[in-house]
Amino acid sequence: TLSINDAFLHFNAVFEAGKTYTLFADVVIFAYTPFDMLSAPAEQTSGDPRQVRISLHHGVPGAAPVDVSLFEVRNLYGNVSYGNFTGYATVDTGVYYFIVKEAGTAKDLDAPAYYADMRAWGGKAVRLFTSGYVNGDPAFRLMAALPDGTVVVLPATTTPPVNARVQIIHNAPSDAVDI
């Protein structure tokens, strides 16, 4: 269409000059009410090339609130309801597995984990967001929006790797032994 009068959504918003925002229209058009544009202030950088700032937006209509954690690292966000944004958390760059569960339960919303290689994301702020449907098509998924506009679908995995921990103790009568 060439006319603003043909738009199915009109909304008023005031954005402060010099600031950056993320906007989401994450409903099924004409199926869920109310239909609204959701926005939140967005960060662009982490301030440290060895770290990534991450925030979450829950964008799956009809899905329960979610808890998100980094496998074998820490909990990030708890009880995030549909349409809400979290604040930013800082993590070191690296390879992570995000675990998304129904809030307060051990129930996976789709996949047991989502793989994220964040080694190239150092110095950036990233907005994670959920998309799709729980038990529907397209399937529930976790995605990342990078500050340059690139959207990355984080691959679902059947199970994150289970790591072994080993402690090596140098216990030799002579200190000439190298381990």
Side-chain angles (χ1 to χ4, degrees):
T1 182
L2 299 176
S3 171
I4 193 167
N5 295 326
D6 294 335
F8 60 86
L9 170 69
H10 297 269
F11 71 99
N12 294 318
V14 177
F15 299 111
E16 190 175 329
K19 300 236 175 171
T20 303
Y21 297 86
T22 304
L23 287 110
F24 279 89
D26 54 9
V27 296
V28 178
I29 298 171
F30 306 121
Y32 289 87
T33 57
F35 181 57
D36 197 7
M37 198 67 100
L38 306 170
S39 68
E43 295 182 11
Q44 297 290 298
T45 66
S46 69
D48 184 333
R50 297 165 298 174
Q51 295 181 321
V52 180
R53 299 271 292 155
I54 51 178
S55 171
L56 174 73
H57 172 67
H58 184 338
V60 176
V66 297
D67 294 337
V68 178
S69 63
L70 290 175
F71 181 70
E72 292 189 339
V73 179
R74 68 177 179 162
N75 292 328
L76 287 176
Y77 311 111
N79 202 30
V80 182
S81 297
Y82 169 70
N84 287 337
F85 294 85
T86 67
Y88 282 85
T90 302
V91 298
D92 292 334
T93 57
V95 174
Y96 293 98
Y97 292 85
F98 287 96
I99 310 296
V100 181
K101 301 221 179 261
E102 188 174 307
T105 74
K107 179 183 176 189
D108 297 325
L109 286 181
D110 182 54
Y114 297 87
Y115 173 83
D117 184 346
M118 299 194 299
R119 291 176 290 191
W121 299 353
K124 296 178 180 170
V126 175
R127 179 81 72 189
L128 297 176
F129 61 99
T130 58
S131 186
Y133 297 101
V134 175
N135 302 319
D137 185 27
F140 181 97
R141 59 194 178 266
L142 186 63
M143 304 169 84
L146 306 181
D148 67 1
T150 301
V151 174
V152 178
V153 177
L154 301 180
T157 65
T158 55
T159 182
V162 177
N163 299 319
R165 299 184 196 280
V166 176
Q167 180 180 21
I168 299 173
I169 300 171
H170 180 197
N171 183 24
S174 169
D175 60 2
V177 176
D178 288 330
I179 297 179

